[in-house]
Amino acid sequence: MDDLKRAAAERAVKEYVQSGMVVGLGTGSTASFAVHRIGELVSSGDLKDVRGIPTSARTATLAEEAGIPLVTLSEARPHVTIDGADEVGPDLTLIKGRGGALLREKIVAHASDVFVVIVDESKLVESLGAGPLPVEIEPFGWEVTLEALASLVCETELRMDPADARHLYVTDGGHYTADCRFASIPDPAALEGEIKRIPGALECGFFTDLARAVVVSREDRVETIEAG
Ligand code: 5RP
């Protein structure tokens, strides 16, 4: 699996990252291969004057270790962002956030000229909702927000910290995450609208109309699926 993730990441870096660019750096195991590859190319001098905008504290640490200079959204906007996904639907609508960084990932992706997704073929689905939809929520009144999410006819679960299951998972922004299991999701954009009408629901894991391309690695090849 790691080989497939690495292959997708390296193809995306080769196709989309050039010297002089500001690059949004995604979060998760697949995105970390892209961070490593950019770091290698910066170290070897094949990429010059590249700066990264990390989507999480974890990625910031990785990028610093890899030798990629970092900037913030106050200083620059990404020419391209490369990030992983949990599910990729046929129209390149995504579910993201099972790795716990969806709000910052979405902010960076939305601010980017080009958003490129890197996945192995196991992430491709016929319709979204094979697994839970993460929703980043405000801790204040989380009980009310969870009830409101459940009223959209899903099973909700407040995420625990994968590193310490006695504690709730807290995002870099200080928020909780509600994982919402729907029996089916016929219209992701409509559901996203309903979720966003809940005041405590800060952002959900649907990424609609954001991905310009998805680089998919399969056992026998790597292919790029362009939007539209
Ligand atoms: C983090 C994410 C990740 O990109 C997503 O969970 C995929 O991660 P991985 O590449 O480890 O499977 O959305 O919030």
Side-chain angles (χ1 to χ4, degrees):
M1 192 55 91
D2 273 2
D3 287 345
L4 292 185
K5 292 177 181 186
R6 183 184 295 108
E10 293 189 354
R11 175 68 65 85
V13 171
K14 186 171 177 207
E15 282 187 9
Y16 292 97
V17 181
Q18 293 167 11
S19 291
M21 280 188 168
V22 174
V23 183
L25 304 171
T27 295
S29 55
T30 316
S32 70
F33 284 112
V35 174
H36 284 300
R37 184 64 185 146
I38 293 167
E40 280 173 2
L41 294 170
V42 167
S43 300
S44 66
D46 290 305
L47 276 180
K48 293 181 178 55
D49 191 28
V50 163
R51 293 167 297 154
I53 298 184
T55 52
S56 64
R58 266 175 288 157
T59 297
T61 303
L62 273 182
E64 276 163 358
E65 286 168 1
I68 304 170
L70 299 181
V71 287
T72 67
L73 286 172
S74 312
E75 298 161 281
R77 297 283 187 272
H79 296 99
V80 63
T81 289
I82 300 177
D83 202 350
D86 299 300
E87 295 184 25
V88 178
D91 61 352
L92 305 195
T93 295
L94 316 172
I95 286 182
K96 284 184 51 55
R98 294 188 197 141
L102 80 89
L103 177 58
R104 291 191 180 189
E105 289 174 329
K106 206 160 180 175
I107 290 169
V108 174
H110 195 262
S112 301
D113 294 340
V114 175
F115 177 47
V116 177
V117 177
I118 48 177
V119 290
D120 61 81
E121 60 185 334
S122 72
K123 304 289 184 65
L124 301 181
V125 296
E126 284 297 317
S127 84
L128 296 178
L133 173 73
V135 180
E136 199 158 326
I137 67 173
E138 162 63 35
F140 178 84
W142 65 264
E143 300 90 336
V144 178
T145 302
L146 221 57
E147 276 172 31
L149 286 167
S151 76
L152 301 176
V153 196
C154 62
E155 284 177 22
T156 57
E157 195 175 347
L158 213 50
R159 191 180 299 183
M160 305 309 288
D161 188 339
D164 182 350
R166 291 169 303 172
H167 300 291
L168 288 171
Y169 176 68
V170 179
T171 66
D172 288 343
H175 310 129
Y176 295 161
T177 300
D179 287 309
C180 303
R181 277 187 186 276
F182 291 86
S184 67
I185 303 178
D187 187 344
L191 180 55
E192 182 176 23
E194 288 189 77
I195 291 170
K196 286 186 154 178
R197 277 196 288 277
I198 302 170
L202 304 173
E203 192 50 83
C204 75
F206 288 130
F207 282 48
T208 42
D209 293 328
L210 275 175
R212 170 81 63 87
V214 177
V215 179
V216 187
S217 57
R218 304 178 188 275
E219 287 298 337
D220 57 342
R221 65 187 190 286
V222 180
E223 65 174 330
T224 300
I225 306 169
E226 307 260 350

